[in-house]
Amino acid sequence: MVKYVKKCPECNGINLFWNKDRGEVICKDCGLVLEEKMVDFGQEWRDFSDEGDESRARAGAPSTYTQFDQGLGTEVGRKADIYQLDRKSKNKFFRLRKWQYRISTAIERNLKLALAELKRVSSYLKLPKSVEEEAAKIYTLAVQRGLVRGRSMESVVAGALYAACRRHEVPRTLDELSEASSIEKKEVGRTYRFITRELGINILPSNPADYIPRFASALKLSAETQSRSIEIIEKAQKAELTSGRGPTGIAAAGLYVSALINGEKRTQREVADVAGVTEVTIRNRYKELLERLDLEKEIKKTKKKRKD
DNA sequence: AAGACGAAAGTGGTTGA
DNA sequence: TCAACAACTTTCGTCTT
């Protein structure tokens, strides 16, 4: 596999490799396999590596996005390469190398800092490693596409983490991301939307049920209450009470009702605080749930029981 | 007195002309 | 680009437990 100094037309990533045996060029960032004929363009595709280097078997650490350069470095040429060049080419060569150096060091410095921040926020939120990796990947793509320009590095990190959480179905609220990264909630949401749109990823609305375990444990509710609230949410989804609504509000209302039914009452205030919505939103969802899912009987039942 | 309820006005984002 | 719009919030007064 030979590394090219050329950007991927799909994701604009710089990690393109030419597999000589197969005659394919593969982008390590988006997995795109470029058409063979692109290789034939010859001069467009500059190969700065020397053969011997690459044909040697290489066994290294697995490539990872949380390392700032994925464990792979790019360099324009070596000293040995230039002996065969005339003066003009030499100048060109040095110019190129200077630029390559400037660009790559700037990007690498940024990535180093950003990934440190990313790790900090991620561990603060106790996110799984897989999410951290995904976020690092998203951030790396964002940097390569120049999406960080005009935005603070921290907010892009927060946005990338938020996106990664959603893709792995371990959603955190914007409030939590905001608190962990000390970026305003609005800003996190804004950059999240921006980078997901620009990178063309994701866009599947998060499932309210994904929030239940975390909210429930924060409120010290029993496992029965948890599973009951998930049932309620599933019913609500079938009754089309969930589309267009904020998932956290639905999760909060479901949890509130099931707590009532199981005689583990929490105030609307408590649930609202944990879920990061207001009491009003809980009330609205709660009302809809009662109307459409006739849960009133069940609540009355538990009320009677408590009297006994 | 605390919690639940609901009306009214304001905010930020989406959508469609 | 702008206005209408839906969801959610803030605030506040009233009712219930």
Side-chain angles (χ1 to χ4, degrees), chain A residues 177-210:
Chain A
L177 253 307
S178 170
E179 198 211 318
S181 62
S182 61
I183 300 290
E184 257 188 275
K185 189 180 160 187
K186 286 183 215 164
E187 187 62 22
V188 179
R190 218 202 312 273
T191 46
Y192 158 73
R193 249 173 283 116
F194 180 71
I195 61 178
T196 48
R197 181 157 34 86
E198 291 299 313
L199 298 175
I201 48 177
N202 203 23
I203 326 284
L204 31 137
S206 61
N207 182 350
D210 292 335

Side-chain angles (χ1 to χ4, degrees), chain A residues 7 19 36 65 77 116 121 133 163 176 199 206-207 221 256 274:
Chain A
K7 287 187 176 175
N19 184 327
E36 281 174 61
Y65 278 96
V121 177
E133 281 279 325
E176 290 168 300
L199 298 175
S206 61
N207 182 350
L221 290 167
Y256 176 70
V274 167

Side-chain angles (χ1 to χ4, degrees), chain A residues 5 16 41 48 91 160 167 173 222 226 238 249 277 281 293 302 307-308:
Chain A
V5 182
L16 292 171
F41 287 159
F48 285 109
N91 283 337
R167 293 195 84 182
T173 62
S222 67
Q226 268 195 51
K238 280 183 187 147
V277 295
T281 303
L293 264 45
T302 49
K307 279 184 182 175
D308 301 341

Side-chain angles (χ1 to χ4, degrees), chain A residues 228 232 256-264 295 298-299 302:
Chain A
R228 174 155 239 153
I232 291 172
Y256 176 70
V257 189
S258 64
L260 276 183
I261 293 173
N262 282 17
E264 297 184 300
L295 296 160
E298 315 223 22
I299 294 172
T302 49

